[in-house]
Amino acid sequence: MNYTYSLIYNSPSVLRSDGATIPADLGNTDWQQYQEWLAQGNTPTPVPLDIYKNNQRGKISSACSSTITGGFQSSALGAAHTYPSDSITQGNVDRIAISGAGGSVWCGDSSNIWSFAQHTAAQVTQVQKDMVSFIQTQQTKYSTLVAQINAATTVDQVEAINW
């Protein structure tokens, strides 16, 4: 098979046209094929900026998701407590809030002692509001970073944009 190769910014590895990353390892047969390709007078091209942008957007998306599902703070019980924010808990908080009757919600106090604590209707509604605010803040940050990645014109600029 005839491959072409692209140089990966700040890496000794190269990207082969089938998407494989080839490490700079003299014992690697793919690296040896790359060296033969070079010896035939071929020249690798730089990896297109869009590939770096897609990769960085993926990293930012993953970090955003991890942050959103990693828990948030609410003082609905009078003092700051940590609440889980995985998708199941988000749904449970929403259902309890919609019911208007209150209910038990998992939360951890300042000593990181977790309990299935009873919340009044007003308290669980506050937890829901705090959760929505937390998620919106993370999504706004994500949106801002994606816009910065999209506007970047160099690999250095793209790689400098992190969660």
Side-chain angles (χ1 to χ4, degrees):
M1 186 159 242
N2 292 332
Y3 295 111
T4 59
Y5 299 86
S6 297
L7 298 174
I8 300 173
Y9 183 76
N10 278 342
S11 173
S13 300
V14 294
L15 183 66
R16 193 169 59 194
S17 55
D18 66 351
T21 300
I22 311 301
D25 175 359
L26 297 175
N28 183 307
T29 56
D30 291 325
W31 182 258
Q32 293 167 7
Q33 290 172 355
Y34 169 63
Q35 295 303 313
E36 291 172 15
W37 183 82
L38 289 173
Q40 295 170 1
N42 295 301
T43 304
T45 59
V47 173
L49 184 60
D50 284 345
I51 290 177
Y52 290 101
K53 288 181 175 186
N54 287 339
N55 185 42
Q56 203 67 359
R57 282 188 293 262
K59 289 178 185 177
I60 298 296
S61 176
S62 179
C64 180
S65 293
S66 292
T67 300
I68 286 172
T69 60
F72 67 98
Q73 297 281 310
S74 176
S75 296
L77 294 176
H81 282 72
T82 300
Y83 291 80
S85 54
D86 57 275
S87 60
I88 291 171
T89 302
Q90 289 178 37
N92 288 341
V93 167
D94 287 342
R95 281 187 286 284
I96 295 167
I98 289 168
S99 77
S104 296
V105 181
W106 280 105
C107 58
D109 64 16
S110 61
S111 299
N112 203 28
I113 297 172
W114 286 77
S115 64
F116 196 50
Q118 181 64 33
H119 289 63
T120 66
Q123 289 169 329
V124 79
T125 297
Q126 186 59 52
V127 170
Q128 182 189 42
K129 287 178 181 178
D130 292 342
M131 178 179 67
V132 168
S133 175
F134 170 75
I135 292 169
Q136 287 289 293
T137 298
Q138 304 319 309
Q139 290 175 333
T140 298
K141 178 178 178 180
Y142 171 73
S143 175
T144 299
L145 294 174
V146 166
Q148 291 173 4
I149 291 167
N150 292 343
T153 58
T154 68
V155 173
D156 281 335
Q157 289 173 347
V158 170
E159 291 188 344
I161 300 166
N162 293 292
W163 188 258

